[in-house]
């Protein structure tokens, strides 16, 4: 009986030892599962923290966007005014460009005309220079002739003056004779009547 008890006790000890081993295995298994769950919880906590950060950032972005969205109508109005002003400036610049092109064309036409006139004046100047040279030569020739003929001309001048005085005297004499003759003929007419 003792042996039976001992056997029973031995088998109960074996049972307890098996249960203990089983509990140790369960405990180890639970510890591993617990570690895995802790790791999983830490991973999820990190993900949640990242999601919270993303939500915070997204909320800030949404608030910033809403703030900007409220400013957009004013900015659009300002940009529309600026756009109208710029369009007006562009139109003025285009008008100036067209005016400058027209002025440039006129200036080119005027320049062509002036160049033609300049060429004509240059040609005229050349002709005038030739004529002036010719006149200068003729003047020199005349001056030379004058120097040669002046004494003769002075002599002729003196002769012409004398002839003129004689003609004047002759004319005066003829006038006197004509007047006398007219008186005489008038007298003869009046006495013959």
């Amino acid at each position: 009986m003792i042996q039976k008890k001992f056997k029973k006790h031995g088998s109960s000890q074996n049972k307890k030892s098996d249960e203990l081993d089983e509990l140790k295995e369960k405990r180890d298994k639970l510890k591993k599962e617990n570690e895995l769950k802790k790791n999983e919880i830490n991973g999820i906590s990190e993900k949640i923290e990242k999601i919270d950060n993303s939500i915070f950032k997204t909320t800030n972005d949404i608030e910033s966007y809403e703030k900007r969205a409220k400013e957009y109508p004013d900015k659009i109005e300002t940009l529309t005014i600026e756009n109208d002003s710029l369009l007006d400036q562009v139109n003025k610049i285009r008008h100036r460009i067209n005016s400058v092109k027209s002025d440039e064309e006129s200036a080119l036409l005027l320049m062509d005309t002036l160049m033609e006139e300049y060429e004509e004046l240059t040609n005229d100047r050349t002709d005038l220079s030739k004529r002036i040279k010719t006149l200068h030569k003729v003047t020199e020739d005349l001056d030379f002739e004058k120097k040669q003929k002046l004494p003769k001309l002075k002599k002729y001048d003196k002769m012409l003056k004398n002839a003129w005085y004689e003609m004047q005297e002759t004319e005066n004499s003829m006038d006197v004779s004509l007047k006398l003759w007219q008186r005489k003929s008038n007298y003869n007419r009046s006495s013959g009547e």
Side-chain angles (χ1 to χ4, degrees):
M1 219 172 129
I2 295 179
Q3 276 184 341
K4 275 186 178 181
K5 269 188 174 181
F6 187 69
K7 272 188 177 178
K8 273 189 179 180
H9 185 54
S11 79
S12 90
Q13 250 186 343
N14 275 342
K15 243 185 188 184
K16 283 185 182 180
S17 173
D18 285 341
E19 282 179 10
L20 191 61
D21 285 340
E22 209 178 291
L23 283 175
K24 280 182 184 179
E25 278 179 24
K26 281 185 180 181
R27 185 188 71 185
D28 289 340
K29 190 176 179 184
L30 285 174
K31 276 184 180 181
K32 284 181 184 177
E33 281 180 18
N34 196 18
E35 276 299 313
L36 287 173
K37 294 295 178 189
K38 277 184 182 179
N39 289 338
E40 208 175 296
I41 287 171
N42 285 337
I44 290 172
S45 293
E46 287 176 6
K47 285 180 183 178
I48 289 172
E49 190 176 331
K50 286 180 183 178
I51 290 171
D52 283 345
N53 286 336
S54 270
I55 289 172
F56 180 75
K57 186 178 177 200
T58 304
T59 303
N60 285 340
D61 288 347
I62 289 171
E63 287 174 1
S64 174
Y65 173 75
E66 286 174 350
K67 184 179 176 185
R68 285 186 303 205
K70 286 178 185 176
E71 294 172 356
Y72 284 151
D74 291 337
K75 285 185 179 180
I76 289 171
E77 186 177 337
T78 302
L79 289 174
T80 302
I81 291 169
E82 287 177 10
N83 185 41
D84 291 343
S85 174
L86 289 173
L87 283 174
D88 188 45
Q89 288 177 6
V90 166
N91 287 334
K92 285 179 182 177
I93 289 170
R94 283 183 181 156
H95 180 70
R96 284 184 199 156
I97 288 170
N98 289 337
S99 178
V100 166
K101 282 182 181 176
S102 175
D103 290 349
E104 183 181 13
E105 289 171 2
S106 297
L108 287 174
L109 184 61
L110 178 63
M111 193 169 155
D112 288 343
T113 304
L114 289 174
M115 286 302 292
E116 288 173 7
E117 288 180 10
Y118 175 75
E119 288 176 11
E120 287 177 15
L121 287 173
T122 303
N123 292 337
D124 289 349
R125 181 176 176 241
T126 304
D127 290 344
L128 285 173
S129 291
K130 288 177 183 177
R131 286 182 184 176
I132 288 171
K133 285 179 183 177
T134 304
L135 284 173
H136 187 65
K137 187 173 184 319
V138 167
T139 305
E140 286 178 351
D141 291 345
L142 286 173
D143 194 39
F144 179 73
E145 277 185 45
K146 178 184 162 189
K147 286 178 183 175
Q148 282 185 341
K149 294 181 181 179
L150 185 62
K152 289 181 185 177
L153 288 175
K154 282 183 180 180
K155 183 179 173 185
Y156 293 145
D157 184 50
K158 191 173 182 182
M159 288 172 63
L160 282 171
K161 280 182 184 177
N162 288 334
W164 185 79
Y165 285 124
E166 286 179 20
M167 284 177 71
Q168 283 291 326
E169 284 179 22
T170 306
E171 187 181 342
N172 287 339
S173 299
M174 285 178 74
D175 277 344
V176 168
S177 296
L178 186 61
K179 283 182 183 177
L180 286 173
W181 181 77
Q182 280 178 350
R183 273 191 192 169
K184 188 178 175 185
S185 33
N186 281 339
Y187 179 72
N188 283 337
R189 273 192 220 156
S190 55
S191 52
E193 291 177 6

